[in-house]
Amino acid sequence: MRMITANTETIHIYHTNDIHSHFENWPGISEYLLNQRAHHKQIGESCFVFDLGDYVDRSHPFTEATEGKGNIGLLNRAGYDAVTIGNNEGITLSHSALAQLYEHAQFDVVVANLLDENGEQLDWAVPYTAFTTSSGLKVSVIAATAEYELFYKKLGWTIQEPRSILRELASQLRNTSDCVICLSHLGVHEDRLLAQETSDIDVILGAHTHHLFVHGELVGETLLAATGKFGQYVGHVTLTVQNKQVIGKRAEVILADELEAGEDEVYAIQKMIDEGTKALDEEVFMTPTILKQNLFGKSPLSEFFGQALLAYTKADCGLFNAGIFLGSLPEGIVTKRDLHRVLPHPINACILTVKGQALRDYYIESCHPDWPRTEVRGLGFRGTLMGIMIHENFTMKHDDLFVNGKLVDPLADYKLATLDMFTFGFFYPNMKFEKIDYIAPEMLRDIAAWYGKSYFGTTS
């Protein structure tokens, strides 16, 4: 065994981020992390394993069926020490599902800028935690997640501006800690700003913007590290501490494709996933015919969903893209699995209150000829192409816009039901300035399920 000298110690930190329920490489990652921990323990070095959030993603059947609890079982199996939450944990789960998500976690959940609805500390997470190495060094861990205020408020949480909180925590802990690590689900821009604003944080492990630092990035004296997305890499940070001062920092990434897992690990993880997805076989409603999709035109499926959207939101008209449908719904029994397969996106509907003139502008924008074949990435979208835009209950005739067959008054208010991804400023820049009421926690498939039960009837 390699002995630690009286005044020098090496600390190893392994980290993952933005896995998004991509489990292709997970058996190899899991076994690698367990083996590395055992290796470092054998030679007398300290080792910690952290996840930076968005490990849960409801686009995967396993996550959907278990409401993310299955994911926590996988993190337990891999021996994680602490995690923070990403927006996929925070705003795609209902209040009760998030409150119960970590009830069987065998690691610390750290997030400093999220409180309950009354502004009180969470009972399932802490603003910071601390670990002690074998030689007695104290490693403090702080964390924060991205500030999606409207969504968190809608779901019954209080979210706060993160950087000021992290700076204050780091300042306090610096006096009692030998090393301060930040688990950040804020994005690379925020991480760089944080590193510029304080020298009290030794390492910022980053996420959210899916950035990759192969050898880390130094901002002042702070090391930034990140591993991209989808479990493509595992991060490894090595700290050298001498006389309780961090004198060396090094970051690297390990290509997960090259991590091999034994048959037992592969089998155990696949068994967990297979058993976890069984809940999706629940029958939801019956259809008399196939509800077919059509990426480049209206379809029975888009008609069904358009009617569902207006019925659920009670809006005057609706706007969504045909690319949200990743398949057709079968004739006969429709299960939760069918709905999840067709609408896997962690996307919420929303209601915009807009003037008639703005509604006309959005209609014209939506008819851009390049949009149907435009590739869409991020924003919760889990398809590939935008597809044609579907206009539900409003249409243009001879340069005039009609809603429910009536000529639109440019100065009157109208309720437009659409998808939250259109309100973030990328496709319709002005939508983010409208009055927006986000529908949460219901996903698009939940709206389809509700309407299917009402319109077609249940299977029982």
Side-chain angles (χ1 to χ4, degrees), residues 97-407:
L98 178 56
Q100 298 170 30
L101 178 64
Y102 299 101
E103 61 183 355
H104 298 302
Q106 297 167 12
F107 48 79
D108 293 330
V109 181
V110 189
V111 56
N113 66 324
L114 185 67
L115 304 170
D116 70 16
E117 192 170 23
N118 299 318
E120 300 295 328
Q121 181 60 50
L122 303 173
D123 59 9
W124 50 268
V126 293
Y128 67 92
T129 191
F131 302 95
T132 302
T133 70
S134 55
S135 71
L137 293 179
K138 183 177 179 182
V139 178
S140 290
V141 177
I142 60 178
T145 194
E147 187 184 4
Y148 287 90
E149 183 178 6
L150 291 177
F151 284 94
Y152 277 110
K153 183 177 181 181
K154 187 79 175 181
L155 291 165
W157 305 107
T158 300
I159 191 75
Q160 299 176 309
E161 190 282 320
R163 291 203 322 272
S164 60
I165 294 173
L166 292 173
R167 290 197 308 269
E168 179 64 26
L169 274 175
S171 177
Q172 294 174 12
L173 294 169
R174 186 82 267 177
N175 298 322
T176 59
S177 307
D178 301 301
C179 181
V180 177
I181 308 296
C182 178
L183 313 184
S184 167
H185 198 89
L186 304 179
V188 63
H189 176 68
E190 291 291 300
D191 290 349
R192 286 170 174 155
L193 286 176
L194 179 61
Q196 292 167 6
E197 293 167 350
T198 179
S199 60
D200 292 326
I201 301 173
D202 294 290
V203 180
I204 298 175
L205 305 176
H208 187 46
T209 46
H210 298 180
H211 53 291
L212 172 66
F213 291 145
V214 174
H215 300 294
E217 177 180 286
L218 272 176
V219 178
E221 295 300 314
T222 301
L223 177 66
L224 275 57
T227 69
K229 62 180 180 179
F230 300 166
Q232 296 166 339
Y233 298 92
V234 175
H236 177 209
V237 171
T238 305
L239 300 179
T240 303
V241 185
Q242 186 176 73
N243 296 325
K244 296 196 171 186
Q245 295 290 322
V246 178
I247 62 169
K249 305 173 185 179
R250 184 170 64 87
E252 63 175 345
V253 294
I254 296 92
L255 183 62
D257 276 345
E258 298 178 353
L259 300 177
E260 296 184 1
E263 291 184 6
D264 289 346
E265 187 70 7
V266 172
Y267 174 78
I269 289 176
Q270 192 58 53
K271 183 179 180 182
M272 289 175 68
I273 292 173
D274 290 343
E275 291 181 352
T277 61
K278 289 180 180 178
L280 292 186
D281 292 326
E282 180 182 333
E283 299 174 1
V284 183
F285 59 84
M286 298 275 292
T287 56
T289 60
I290 297 174
L291 296 180
K292 291 185 177 181
Q293 70 170 142
N294 182 356
L295 192 59
F296 302 113
K298 290 186 176 181
S299 67
L301 185 55
S302 69
E303 181 180 358
F304 164 76
F305 181 76
Q307 293 170 354
L309 186 63
L310 293 194
Y312 198 86
T313 62
K314 297 180 172 57
D316 299 305
C317 51
L319 179 68
F320 56 93
N321 60 306
I324 62 170
F325 307 116
L326 305 191
S328 302
L329 289 177
E331 177 183 352
I333 294 172
V334 174
T335 65
K336 286 185 175 182
R337 193 183 299 273
D338 292 321
L339 290 169
H340 185 268
R341 171 180 53 80
V342 171
L343 290 166
H345 328 279
I347 289 176
N348 300 96
C350 58
I351 307 167
L352 277 60
T353 301
V354 303
K355 295 296 183 183
Q357 181 59 51
L359 186 63
R360 184 178 184 278
D361 293 340
Y362 294 140
Y363 187 101
I364 293 172
E365 281 183 87
S366 71
C367 295
H368 195 290
D370 293 339
W371 277 22
R373 295 190 180 276
T374 296
E375 289 191 12
V376 183
R377 297 181 180 179
L379 307 176
F381 187 69
R382 298 297 184 257
T384 303
L385 299 181
M386 174 78 79
I388 194 172
M389 296 299 298
I390 305 295
H391 308 97
E392 187 69 24
N393 209 36
F394 69 133
T395 188
M396 291 280 287
K397 295 180 182 178
H398 307 297
D399 208 38
D400 291 322
L401 184 65
F402 292 81
V403 170
N404 200 27
K406 297 180 180 179
L407 183 65

